[in-house]
Amino acid sequence: MNEKKNIINHLIQKNNFSKYLEIGVDDPQVNFNLIGCPTKHSVDPCIEFETPVDYKYTSDNFYHLLENGELDLSPDYKWDIIFIDGLHISTQVERDFKNSMNHLSKNGFILIHDANPPTLWHAREDYIVKGIRRPWNGTVWKVIYKLNALRSDLVIHTIGGMDATFKRLEDGTNDLDWGLAVIHRGEQECCDFDNPFYEYRELEKNRIKHLNLINLEKFYRIYN
């Protein structure tokens, strides 16, 4: 079951959203084509796969072209839901988040995939292992932790992770591919910024508070 698709569609339906952007599409049959929204746009440079997308650019180039009026969209175009699933390196994810915030509607949501790596191996920086593409979260978690620790003007929840990891943290199961962060404007009590060097072993000790982990049941209670 594709729970991330269900979560995105739930937020769209509950808020009567009409504009959706997906950054990092890969195979559109997996998620993009399953999103029910009147207006949808997709961005992917199509480096690994030739994917049918609306804008065949890196996310940096896409936002640069958008803001310089070089696309078929207004430079100040805003989406209600932006799903970020591009390059899983923290510096890139942080740029994607900042650029996306500039183009997010007032009550909109940014969702970031792969936010809760189950092991240090999954949190490595290079997703190619001995020439083979392997399961990979990268360093997305660092951005989620930083936002959760320093941005009291946002509300951040991370839903799920691997079953074994998640059950160790909370009751409940999930299949959210190691964490889906849900972010919107609002107010929150930040967690302590007690891991300034972004050490994975410190994340392991404080995973629930650093990522503000919740299970699916709690997500639907909060965002119903």
Side-chain angles (χ1 to χ4, degrees), residues 128-169:
I128 300 294
V129 179
K130 296 182 179 179
I132 301 173
R133 183 178 177 180
R134 303 301 301 273
W136 188 53
N137 291 76
T139 52
V140 177
W141 72 268
K142 296 180 181 182
V143 178
I144 308 308
Y145 166 58
K146 182 178 180 179
L147 294 173
N148 197 34
L150 302 179
R151 293 290 299 270
S152 61
D153 61 325
L154 300 174
V155 176
I156 300 166
H157 294 99
T158 301
I159 312 164
M162 280 189 70
D163 285 348
T165 301
F166 195 74
K167 287 176 180 176
R168 187 168 71 239
L169 300 172

Side-chain angles (χ1 to χ4, degrees), residues 19-201:
K19 297 176 181 178
Y20 171 76
L21 172 65
E22 185 164 310
I23 295 174
V25 178
D26 202 346
D27 181 357
Q29 299 292 341
V30 172
N31 193 75
F32 184 79
N33 290 352
L34 305 178
I35 302 303
C37 197
T39 300
K40 301 194 297 182
H41 296 109
S42 55
V43 177
D44 196 299
C46 303
I47 294 173
E48 290 93 4
F49 302 99
E50 188 59 37
T51 301
V53 294
D54 297 304
Y55 302 100
K56 191 176 177 179
Y57 304 111
T58 65
S59 54
D60 288 342
N61 286 342
F62 168 74
Y63 278 120
H64 174 78
L65 293 170
L66 173 64
E67 293 174 358
N68 283 276
E70 298 180 46
L71 298 180
D72 56 346
L73 298 169
S74 169
D76 61 352
Y77 195 93
K78 296 185 186 301
W79 288 270
D80 300 309
I81 295 256
I82 300 176
F83 176 48
I84 299 173
D85 194 18
L87 182 62
H88 297 348
I89 297 297
S90 59
T91 50
Q92 182 63 56
V93 175
E94 188 162 18
R95 286 201 304 274
D96 286 343
F97 174 77
K98 289 179 178 178
N99 287 329
S100 295
M101 282 296 292
N102 291 333
H103 293 276
L104 186 69
S105 63
K106 180 180 178 181
N107 297 314
F109 287 78
I110 291 175
L111 281 71
I112 304 179
H113 200 218
D114 292 284
N116 182 21
T119 69
L120 179 60
W121 184 79
H122 288 81
R124 67 193 185 278
E125 292 195 353
D126 190 351
Y127 80 106
I128 300 294
V129 179
K130 296 182 179 179
I132 301 173
R133 183 178 177 180
R134 303 301 301 273
W136 188 53
N137 291 76
T139 52
V140 177
W141 72 268
K142 296 180 181 182
V143 178
I144 308 308
Y145 166 58
K146 182 178 180 179
L147 294 173
N148 197 34
L150 302 179
R151 293 290 299 270
S152 61
D153 61 325
L154 300 174
V155 176
I156 300 166
H157 294 99
T158 301
I159 312 164
M162 280 189 70
D163 285 348
T165 301
F166 195 74
K167 287 176 180 176
R168 187 168 71 239
L169 300 172
E170 290 186 1
D171 292 333
T173 60
N174 66 90
D175 62 346
L176 282 158
D177 299 324
W178 313 311
L180 179 67
V182 177
I183 304 170
H184 62 94
R185 298 180 180 94
E187 295 182 2
Q188 70 172 0
E189 182 177 347
C190 292
C191 68
D192 294 332
F193 191 52
D194 52 7
N195 187 11
F197 298 106
Y198 300 95
E199 296 177 22
Y200 180 81
R201 290 175 181 81

